[in-house]
């Protein structure tokens, strides 16, 4: 059996790709998203109630569709990274990366020796199709995509070195954490934050890597697309359901309060 191709990696061809956060933690909900036309889906293991088994069920649920799955980890734990790769995740997004040294360590966690320290699961793992993929140990890295998140002033200061790290494929800006960390909580559109976002984009592209960002507000997403971001998350499934439910009941009841986002969107 051939090594399965990574659809997200192959979609990064210079055209902006639009995605959605998948936060419900179930294969059923994520499969619904996969049928709607998003180019990619972020299966969120950081803030959503996901575990390794629930992430597996979502990878299986979206496999027949064209929406490419990206899995976000909760932290930098190499043991968890190993588990996620073993269940078949090919694109990982890692939060809170502040230095090139951290980025290099994360790369090593995705590689087998001698290029890293990923443990060998062999026939136990979905990634190898239970030992059916030829030369998996030698070729696995060819279809892996590592996205690191820059979400702090330190990360922005080190973005050039982070992006230049061999094995890092993309840098994703977290505008909410970034704006909060630099003293503009709830206001990612503050001019200082916008300048930091643009600088991160520019040094990432200068390193020949792809850049992504979260932008649920349409005006923000369109601006970032004009700037040249390669992949943009334009929706969050939980927020979409919440707002749609409020809009629906508001047609029949006049006392429904409209929510105000604490995230600046």
């Amino acid at each position: 059996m051939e090594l399965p191709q990574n659809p997200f990696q192959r979609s990064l061809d210079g055209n902006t790709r639009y995605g959605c956060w998948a936060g419900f933690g179930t294969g059923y909900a994520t499969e619904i998203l996969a049928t709607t036309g998003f180019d990619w889906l972020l299966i969120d293991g950081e803030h959503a109630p996901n575990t390794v088994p629930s992430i597996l069920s979502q990878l299986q649920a979206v496999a027949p569709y064209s929406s490419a799955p990206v899995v976000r980890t909760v932290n930098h734990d190499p043991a968890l990274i190993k588990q996620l790769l073993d269940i078949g995740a090919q694109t990982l997004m890692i939060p809170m990366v502040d230095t090139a040294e951290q980025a290099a360590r994360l790369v090593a966690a995705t590689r087998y020796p001698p290029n890293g320290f990923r443990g060998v699961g062999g026939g136990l793992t979905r990634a190898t199709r239970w030992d059916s993929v030829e030369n998996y140990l030698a070729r696995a890295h060819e279809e892996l995509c590592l996205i690191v998140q820059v979400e702090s002033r330190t990360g922005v200061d080190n973005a050039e070195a982070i992006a230049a790290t061999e094995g890092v494929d993309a840098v994703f800006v977290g505008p909410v954490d970034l704006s909060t960390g630099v003293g503009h909580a709830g206001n990612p559109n503050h001019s200082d934050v916008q300048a930091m976002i643009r600088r991160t984009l520019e040094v990432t592209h200068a390193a020949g890597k792809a850049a992504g960002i979260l932008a649920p507000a349409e005006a923000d997403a369109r601006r970032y697309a004009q700037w040249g971001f390669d992949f943009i998350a334009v929706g969050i499934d939980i927020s979409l359901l919440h707002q749609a439910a409020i809009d629906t009941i508001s047609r029949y009841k006049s006392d429904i309060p409209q929510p105000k986002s604490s995230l600046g969107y």
Side-chain angles (χ1 to χ4, degrees), residues 6 40 60 79 87 91-92 98 129 132 136 143 169 182 185 220 228 261:
N6 183 334
W40 59 280
Q60 293 170 321
I87 63 171
T91 301
L92 294 180
D98 290 330
R129 296 307 185 263
S132 297
Y136 181 81
E143 297 296 335
D169 298 291
V182 299
D220 295 340
S261 173

Side-chain angles (χ1 to χ4, degrees), residues 119-185:
V120 179
L124 292 171
T125 69
R126 178 174 180 262
T128 69
R129 296 307 185 263
W130 303 279
D131 247 357
S132 297
V133 175
E134 293 185 28
N135 299 319
Y136 181 81
L137 296 181
R139 297 192 56 207
H141 66 281
E142 297 173 11
E143 297 296 335
L144 297 183
C145 180
L146 178 62
I147 307 167
V148 297
Q149 283 193 256
V150 167
E151 305 182 82
S152 68
R153 187 185 299 276
T154 301
V156 172
D157 290 343
N158 292 319
E160 184 174 3
I162 291 170
T165 302
E166 185 176 357
V168 168
D169 298 291
V171 173
F172 191 93
V173 180
V176 178
D177 278 300
L178 178 59
S179 59
T180 301
V182 299
H184 302 294

Side-chain angles (χ1 to χ4, degrees), residues 4 11 26 31 39 56 72 74 88 94 106 109 121 157 172 179 185 189 195 209 211 214 230 238 263:
S11 74
T26 73
E31 184 174 8
D39 298 311
L56 170 60
R72 181 161 72 165
V74 67
I94 315 291
L106 293 170
D157 290 343
F172 191 93
S179 59
N189 286 325
K209 308 296 177 66
L214 173 64
D230 301 278
I238 292 171
L263 304 181

Side-chain angles (χ1 to χ4, degrees), residues 5-243:
Q5 294 184 344
N6 183 334
F8 181 82
Q9 189 178 55
R10 281 166 168 69
S11 74
L12 299 177
D13 59 1
N15 296 303
T16 301
R17 301 301 180 184
Y18 296 99
C20 186
W21 242 237
F24 282 108
T26 73
Y28 199 79
T30 304
E31 184 174 8
I32 293 171
L33 286 179
T35 69
T36 60
F38 286 106
D39 298 311
W40 59 280
L41 302 173
L42 191 284
I43 301 171
D44 190 9
E46 183 182 17
H47 293 296
N50 269 308
T51 61
V52 172
S54 70
I55 291 171
L56 170 60
S57 73
Q58 289 167 84
L59 290 172
Q60 293 170 321
V62 305
Y65 305 100
S66 61
S67 295
V70 176
V71 175
R72 181 161 72 165
T73 67
V74 67
N75 55 28
H76 296 197
D77 182 2
L80 176 61
I81 289 171
K82 173 177 60 180
Q83 286 184 297
L84 294 174
L85 294 176
D86 282 352
I87 63 171
Q90 291 179 297
T91 301
L92 294 180
M93 183 185 292
I94 315 291
M96 299 291 183
V97 177
D98 290 330
T99 68
E101 290 75 18
Q102 288 179 340
R105 180 75 174 170
L106 293 170
V107 173
T110 70
R111 303 296 199 261
Y112 291 115
N115 300 310
F117 54 87
R118 178 183 173 188
V120 179
L124 292 171
T125 69
R126 178 174 180 262
T128 69
R129 296 307 185 263
W130 303 279
D131 247 357
S132 297
V133 175
E134 293 185 28
N135 299 319
Y136 181 81
L137 296 181
R139 297 192 56 207
H141 66 281
E142 297 173 11
E143 297 296 335
L144 297 183
C145 180
L146 178 62
I147 307 167
V148 297
Q149 283 193 256
V150 167
E151 305 182 82
S152 68
R153 187 185 299 276
T154 301
V156 172
D157 290 343
N158 292 319
E160 184 174 3
I162 291 170
T165 302
E166 185 176 357
V168 168
D169 298 291
V171 173
F172 191 93
V173 180
V176 178
D177 278 300
L178 178 59
S179 59
T180 301
V182 299
H184 302 294
N187 186 16
N189 286 325
H190 189 281
S191 59
D192 291 347
V193 181
Q194 288 291 291
M196 297 171 82
I197 291 172
R198 189 147 198 171
R199 177 182 181 277
T200 303
L201 167 67
E202 290 170 353
V203 299
T204 299
H205 278 174
K209 308 296 177 66
I213 195 166
L214 173 64
E218 182 179 354
D220 295 340
R222 293 194 180 278
R223 180 175 68 256
Y224 294 140
Q226 290 176 348
W227 286 6
F229 273 94
D230 301 278
F231 57 110
I232 304 173
V234 295
I236 301 171
D237 59 356
I238 292 171
S239 301
L240 294 173
L241 174 62
H242 187 222
Q243 189 60 57

